[in-house]
Amino acid sequence: MRTRASLLILTALTAPQALLAAPHSASGIILTYDLNQDQKLPLEEFVAARRDRFAATDTDNNGIVDESEYVYEWEGKITQRFAEDRKASVKQTHVRFKAIDKDEDGFISPEELNAIGQRGFDYMDADKDGLILASDPEPKRRGESDKKDKKADEKPQRTLAQRPLLRMPTTHSIKGFMDLYDSNGDEKVTQEEFQNVRDEHFKRSDENNDGLLTEQEYVLEFEDRLDKQIEKSYEAQVKQAYVRFGVLDKNEDKAMTFSEYMQSGFRSFTRHDTNEDGLISLEDPIYKRKPKSESKKDEDKQGDTATVIAKATR
Amino acid sequence: MANKYLTAALCAATLCIFINKTFAQSSSSFSLNNGEQLTITTNPLTELNRTAIQNIVDDTVFNLDNRAPESLVNQLNSTTDFAAPEWLFSAIAQCERWHQKTESRFSCRNGNLKQYWHDYVHGQGLLERREARKLARSARVAKVTLSADTRQVVTDSELVWDFGDLTQAIILQRIIDYLASQDITAYHLQIGLLNAFSGHDTTWPHQTSLAGNQQSLTLRNTISYEIAPWQQSAYQGSTEQGVISHNDGWPASKFASHVLSENPIDAVVLGYLAASNTSRFVLSLLDSEKQHLALRDQQQRVYYSKHYQAFTGVSPASMQQVKIRVRLPEFDIADYQGPYAAVWITDTENKLLRNLHIRGTGENWLKDLRTWWRKIARKDDSLIDAMSGATMGNKPIEVNWDGLDQYGKDVHLDNLLLHVEIAREHGGRTYKKIPLSIRTDKSPLNVEGENELHSVQIAF
C-alpha cells in the first residue's frame, strides 16, 4: 500500500464540536438553477434555467450538445468550485496552524505537533491498547453525549451549500486513519508507524531544517498535497462527465438533443422533489436512494413527467 | 504678498531655492528603453549632468536585464562567486535582508520562476501551481553568502537572480546618489508610480488616488510609491493580474497601497508585500516613525499606518477626534487570559461604519464575540487579517476615531452607536451598545459596565 503521509487534522476533534449543519442533498440542483436566488426551485424556474444552460453549453449553436461541449461546460463549473474549496481549505490550514502553535510563538515545534498527534491517536484508540486496527470500531464522535439532550424528533439543520468537491484524506474514520498511517499495509497502525509518518511530515515541511515549522512552511507543504489532490479529483470529475454523457447518449451518436437534455434534467428534478409538490427547497425531505424494488415505481413516475416535459418542450 | 515679489527678485539674481514654496522648474525626461521614462524636475541640468544621468539609466537597465548576454546579472548568474559593483551589491544586500525578514515573500532570487512565467505567457509551457511553488521554494532555500568588504556574492549554482521588480528603485537610488554628488539638492524624480522628493526647504505637490478620490498631498524628503495590483498583469503579457507572490509563485491582489519611505527599494518592496500579503503582516514590517502606508482593499476599504495621515496632511473636511477608552476589570485571578475584544461604530440601524479595534487573532476564539462575529466579521473574509492584533490582558483599549468610515470617507451623521464586546476564556462575554450624538452633544460620557467590561469613557 502506498504511503500517503498526511497530517492528522485534529483540531476539529479536540475543539468543542457543535452538530454541524450538513448540506441539504438538493443543494446542488437548487444552487445551479435558482435564478432568482430565493432558495426555492419551482419547476418553471428549473425549466427556464435548464434551457439557458443548454444554450450556453451548445457553444457552436447547432442545436446539439456533443460530448466535448458537455465536458467543457462541466469543466468550467468544477474549476470554479475547486477554486472555492481550495480557498476555504487553505484558510482552515492557517487556523489549524494557530491552534497547534499552543505557546503562540509563531512556530510549531515537534513537541506541539506530537501533542496534537498523540491526542488524535488516543482518540482513535478506543480500547487504549496502543494499536489501531482496521477492524476497530469507529470512534465515538465528540459531542455525541450532548445529543441525549436533544429531542428525539428534532431534525438536524440543513443548509443550502454545495458539497465540497475537494476532499482531503480524513482521520475521522478508521478507514481514513488507515489510509493515512498504515504505511506497510498490514491493516494496523502501531504507535511507531504513526510517529514515523508524522516525523516524515515534519521533516518534509521544515524547509530550512531548523527543527521548527513556520506558518508558511506548514501551509505551503499542505498546499502541495492539496494541489495534488485537486489534480486527481479534477481528472476524476472530467472522466465522470464523459461517463455521464455516455449514459445519457442512449443511441451513442455522441449528440444530445435538447429534448434528451431536458429529460435528463427532469429525472433529476423529480428525484429531489421528494414531497412531490412541484418545488425543490430545503423543506423537501432528504433524497435517499431507494432499493431496486421501488425503482420501478420511480420509472413510472418519470414516465408521467416525461409526458409533461414533452409537452413543455414542443 | 510683498514677500513673494522680494523672493522672486532675489531668485532672478541668483540660483536659489524658494522657501516653503512649491517648486516649478524644468523637467527633463530620460528613456528607459522599455517604454518607461525617468522624469527629473529640478533646476536646469547641464549637458554633462544629462549625459551622466542617461548613462546611469542605460547602464542600470542593461545590467539588470537577464536577457542581455553580457549584463552583470547574467555574469552573476553564470558563476557561483561574483564580485559586484557597489550599486549592485547594495541592492543585492538590501534584497537579501528583505528576503530574510519576510521569509522570501519578497525576493530577488526568482529568476527561474520568472522564466517559468515567461514561457507560459509565450505559449511555451503550462502554468501549474505546484511547479510554481516548487521553483519559489528552490530559490528560497538556496544558500547565499555576501561579503560586504569585497562585495562578493556567493550562490548555489541553481539560483537565478532577477531584479526586475526593483529596477525602477535601483535606478532612482543611483540618480539620487549622483545628484547628491553634484550638490543638486532640490529635485523630483519619477519613474511610473515611483517618486523621489528631495528634502531641505522644498515641498512638492503630489496626487494619489487612494480611497477612491484624488488626494492632493504635499510631500518632501521622501520616496512615494503607489501600486494597484488588480490593475496590472502579474507578468508582462499575462491575462492573470496582480503581483507574483515570491514565496509561492502565484499571483495575488490583496491591497493597493501608497507607501512613503526614505529609501526607494524599501518603498517598492513594501508596496509589493502589501499587494501579496495580509495587511497585518505588512504593517508589522513598518518602522512606523519613518515609514507610512495607506492600504486599500478591493472593497475600497482603507487602512492607515500609525502616522500616515499626519505625515501626508490627509484629513477630512471636519476632522473629529472621538477619544474612546474601554477599561477592563482588574480581576485578581491567576488565569486571566486574553480577553478578546471588538470595538466598532454603526449608524442607528446597526449598519457598520467602521471597525475601530480588535484584540485576538484566532478565528476560533474571536467567534466568542458573538454579536460582532455574527453581524460583522462572518460576512467579511479579510477583516480579521486586516485588523486583529494580540490580546493584551486587561490593559485599557484606547482608540481615537477620526470620524472616517471604513472607506476613508467622512461620516456625516450625528446619531451613531458605539459597540463594545469583550469575551474571555474561562470568563464571560459582555456586550454594550452606547448611543452617541457626535455633532450635537459633545459632553464627555462615562458608561459603567459589568462583568468583563469595567467602563467606557468617551471624550470629544
Side-chain angles (χ1 to χ4, degrees):
Chain A
M1 191 179 185
R2 215 173 72 214
T3 306
R4 268 179 270 169
S6 304
L7 181 64
L8 181 68
I9 296 159
L10 287 177
T11 14
L13 301 175
T14 55
Q17 182 130 325
L19 190 64
L20 289 174
H24 192 284
S25 59
S27 292
I29 191 172
I30 298 176
L31 287 168
T32 308
Y33 296 101
D34 181 19
L35 295 176
N36 65 0
Q37 302 200 315
D38 66 351
Q39 309 206 334
K40 291 202 254 286
L41 190 62
L43 188 59
E44 307 77 55
E45 194 178 13
F46 174 73
V47 171
R50 185 80 177 157
R51 227 182 234 136
D52 287 349
R53 191 175 175 189
F54 181 88
T57 309
D58 177 21
T59 44
D60 65 2
N61 260 316
N62 64 350
I64 303 279
V65 163
D66 61 37
E67 191 178 53
S68 64
E69 284 171 333
Y70 183 80
V71 173
Y72 181 77
E73 195 261 0
W74 183 245
E75 283 195 78
K77 290 256 178 327
I78 62 175
T79 302
Q80 181 169 352
R81 282 178 65 185
F82 274 119
E84 285 162 8
D85 289 351
R86 188 188 190 282
K87 190 170 173 199
S89 189
V90 172
K91 189 173 172 199
Q92 259 314 104
T93 309
H94 282 278
V95 173
R96 215 161 47 239
F97 177 88
K98 293 195 168 70
I100 298 173
D101 176 23
K102 277 248 166 293
D103 63 6
E104 296 184 6
D105 67 348
F107 299 99
I108 290 179
S109 63
E111 292 74 39
E112 283 169 330
L113 200 58
N114 287 336
I116 290 280
Q118 198 53 52
R119 303 243 290 266
F121 189 93
D122 292 344
Y123 173 76
M124 275 292 157
D125 185 15
D127 57 8
K128 304 295 169 228
D129 65 349
L131 194 65
I132 293 160
L133 304 171
S135 55
D136 270 355
E138 296 294 342
K140 188 169 83 112
R141 285 191 144 268
R142 295 234 172 166
E144 242 160 40
S145 53
D146 305 337
K147 270 196 196 167
K148 58 180 185 276
D149 297 330
K150 280 179 117 38
K151 300 194 187 68
D153 60 349
E154 197 176 302
K155 293 196 198 104
Q157 291 292 329
R158 296 283 177 186
T159 57
L160 190 68
Q162 283 282 21
R163 228 169 27 141
L165 279 185
L166 174 58
R167 255 95 63 98
M168 290 293 278
T170 175
T171 53
H172 293 193
S173 66
I174 292 287
K175 179 179 186 306
F177 195 88
M178 287 292 139
D179 284 348
L180 290 169
Y181 293 102
D182 182 16
S183 319
N184 61 3
D186 65 350
E187 310 254 309
K188 56 180 189 279
V189 176
T190 60
Q191 272 278 184
E192 195 185 333
E193 225 174 343
F194 181 74
Q195 196 57 44
N196 282 341
V197 171
R198 295 179 67 75
D199 288 345
E200 209 189 308
H201 168 259
F202 193 100
K203 227 171 94 186
R204 194 175 56 244
S205 313
D206 186 9
E207 278 176 9
N208 62 356
N209 285 316
D210 67 349
L212 295 170
L213 302 185
T214 61
E215 189 165 350
Q216 178 171 283
E217 283 174 333
Y218 181 77
V219 173
L220 292 186
E221 190 279 336
F222 178 79
E223 288 192 48
D224 282 341
R225 286 182 284 122
L226 185 67
D227 288 329
K228 200 162 166 192
Q229 183 66 25
I230 289 175
E231 226 170 284
K232 230 174 75 177
S233 305
Y234 188 91
E235 280 171 23
Q237 283 287 337
V238 170
K239 212 163 162 186
Q240 252 183 46
Y242 279 107
V243 169
R244 228 174 18 249
F245 185 88
V247 167
L248 298 171
D249 178 25
K250 298 226 185 293
N251 61 358
E252 293 180 22
D253 65 348
K254 298 280 188 212
M256 199 187 301
T257 62
F258 177 61
S259 169
E260 286 170 334
Y261 187 81
M262 294 305 278
Q263 280 179 34
S264 83
F266 278 121
R267 279 193 286 276
S268 199
F269 188 93
T270 316
R271 190 184 309 133
H272 289 289
D273 180 17
T274 40
N275 62 10
E276 296 179 19
D277 64 351
L279 177 83
I280 298 179
S281 73
L282 292 173
E283 253 88 75
D284 280 285
I286 307 291
Y287 166 71
K288 279 189 169 42
R289 285 196 177 284
K290 299 196 180 83
K292 284 257 161 84
S293 56
E294 294 212 34
S295 59
K296 180 77 177 63
K297 227 186 346 173
D298 270 1
E299 269 174 42
D300 292 337
K301 190 160 86 165
Q302 281 166 24
D304 294 337
T305 319
T307 323
V308 174
I309 296 152
K311 287 196 188 138
T313 57
R314 243 204 301 266
Chain B
M1 238 10 194
N3 234 355
K4 189 173 163 197
Y5 290 119
L6 187 61
T7 323
L10 277 175
C11 287
T14 65
L15 202 63
C16 71
I17 296 166
F18 288 3
I19 313 258
N20 267 341
K21 288 227 182 297
T22 56
F23 207 91
Q25 290 297 356
S26 60
S27 289
S28 316
S29 288
F30 302 84
S31 103
L32 263 64
N33 103 352
N34 60 354
E36 291 182 313
Q37 299 263 13
L38 161 68
T39 309
I40 304 185
T41 306
T42 182
N43 280 324
L45 294 166
T46 66
E47 204 45 51
L48 214 63
N49 290 153
R50 283 177 201 281
T51 313
I53 289 169
Q54 187 66 62
N55 283 343
I56 292 173
V57 169
D58 293 342
D59 182 68
T60 316
V61 169
F62 174 76
N63 280 309
L64 295 183
D65 183 357
N66 287 60
R67 291 178 195 288
E70 301 297 323
S71 66
L72 285 175
V73 69
N74 254 318
Q75 292 174 43
L76 170 63
N77 285 330
S78 6
T79 130
T80 52
D81 194 334
F82 181 78
E86 175 55 43
W87 64 269
L88 181 55
F89 186 83
S90 168
I92 294 173
Q94 289 182 66
C95 205
E96 280 291 293
R97 267 202 299 279
W98 278 110
H99 184 270
Q100 214 261 330
K101 195 170 171 185
T102 63
E103 213 182 341
S104 89
R105 287 171 178 85
F106 191 85
S107 172
C108 292
R109 302 179 176 197
N110 270 321
N112 280 325
L113 174 66
K114 296 288 171 110
Q115 184 63 46
Y116 182 66
W117 270 88
H118 179 91
D119 292 344
Y120 159 69
V121 169
H122 288 84
Q124 286 152 17
L126 298 174
L127 185 69
E128 285 175 344
R129 263 199 121 114
R130 276 201 292 162
E131 183 60 26
R133 194 162 46 239
K134 193 163 143 213
L135 292 168
R137 178 179 284 127
S138 217
R140 175 168 53 251
V141 301
K143 292 271 176 289
V144 169
T145 319
L146 304 177
S147 309
D149 40 1
T150 53
R151 298 201 302 267
Q152 216 84 5
V153 183
V154 178
T155 61
D156 267 8
S157 51
E158 302 302 313
L159 184 52
V160 176
W161 293 91
D162 182 301
F163 300 94
D165 295 325
L166 288 186
T167 304
Q168 289 181 347
I170 294 171
I171 292 173
L172 233 59
Q173 185 62 62
R174 291 188 78 184
I175 304 297
I176 288 170
D177 292 341
Y178 171 76
L179 294 176
S181 75
Q182 303 294 302
D183 276 324
I184 297 171
T185 52
Y187 56 78
H188 166 207
L189 311 177
Q190 179 174 3
I191 306 176
L193 292 169
L194 182 61
N195 290 268
F197 299 104
S198 69
H200 293 271
D201 303 318
T202 337
T203 59
W204 302 91
H206 181 63
Q207 303 273 82
T208 71
S209 58
L210 218 67
N213 13 296
Q214 285 287 321
Q215 302 272 21
S216 292
L217 310 180
T218 311
L219 299 176
R220 60 182 289 278
N221 199 24
T222 189
I223 311 295
S224 165
Y225 180 59
E226 284 171 73
I227 172 172
W230 44 81
Q231 288 172 13
Q232 61 179 57
S233 299
Y235 187 87
Q236 190 170 38
S238 73
T239 51
E240 294 80 2
Q241 299 196 294
V243 303
I244 297 174
S245 288
H246 278 287
N247 64 343
D248 74 355
W250 210 246
S253 281
K254 296 280 175 74
F255 293 96
S257 61
H258 179 218
V259 188
L260 296 158
S261 176
E262 296 180 323
N263 168 320
I265 286 179
D266 287 352
V268 170
V269 171
L270 286 168
Y272 202 100
L273 291 170
S276 49
N277 288 278
T278 65
S279 63
R280 192 168 75 231
F281 178 77
V282 189
L283 290 168
S284 75
L285 295 170
L286 279 190
D287 172 350
S288 62
E289 302 302 315
K290 297 189 187 158
Q291 295 168 327
H292 314 288
L293 189 57
L295 301 173
R296 173 165 56 94
D297 65 18
Q298 293 198 52
Q299 289 81 39
Q300 307 299 320
R301 286 180 301 223
V302 294
Y303 307 91
Y304 300 115
S305 69
K306 193 168 176 196
H307 299 302
Y308 176 88
Q309 288 161 292
F311 186 84
T312 55
V314 167
S315 57
S318 57
M319 188 134 173
Q320 310 265 359
Q321 277 294 343
V322 182
K323 297 181 188 39
I324 301 162
R325 187 161 192 262
V326 176
R327 283 185 59 198
L328 301 172
E330 281 153 32
F331 292 131
D332 185 15
I333 311 175
D335 71 344
Y336 184 81
Q337 305 260 28
Y340 307 98
V343 180
W344 70 101
I345 295 199
T346 67
D347 63 14
T348 49
E349 318 275 294
N350 283 316
K351 176 160 161 272
L352 179 69
L353 293 171
R354 180 97 168 262
N355 279 284
L356 294 180
H357 191 93
I358 303 175
R359 280 192 188 172
T361 54
E363 194 179 286
N364 287 344
W365 292 274
L366 288 172
K367 283 178 179 166
D368 286 345
L369 300 170
R370 283 201 315 265
T371 310
W372 176 77
W373 179 259
R374 257 197 340 256
K375 301 230 163 112
I376 315 276
R378 199 172 57 176
K379 307 175 192 165
D380 186 338
D381 240 357
S382 55
L383 181 63
I384 292 177
D385 277 341
M387 290 209 58
S388 57
T391 58
M392 292 191 196
N394 63 2
K395 188 159 165 263
I397 297 172
E398 305 201 359
V399 189
N400 283 355
W401 180 47
D402 54 16
L404 298 180
D405 68 11
Q406 57 181 339
Y407 304 100
K409 305 261 170 50
D410 208 356
V411 171
H412 291 295
L413 303 169
D414 179 27
N415 294 315
L416 303 172
L417 294 170
L418 175 70
H419 304 251
V420 178
E421 191 169 15
I422 318 272
R424 186 169 61 88
E425 202 181 346
H426 309 142
R429 171 196 155 263
T430 307
Y431 167 62
K432 203 133 199 89
K433 192 154 61 168
I434 302 167
L436 303 175
S437 300
I438 59 172
R439 285 163 201 267
T440 53
D441 183 2
K442 302 214 181 191
S443 46
L445 280 173
N446 182 51
V447 179
E448 293 294 316
E450 61 276 328
N451 300 330
E452 302 302 334
L453 176 65
H454 179 276
S455 59
V456 181
Q457 285 91 45
I458 302 162
F460 296 88

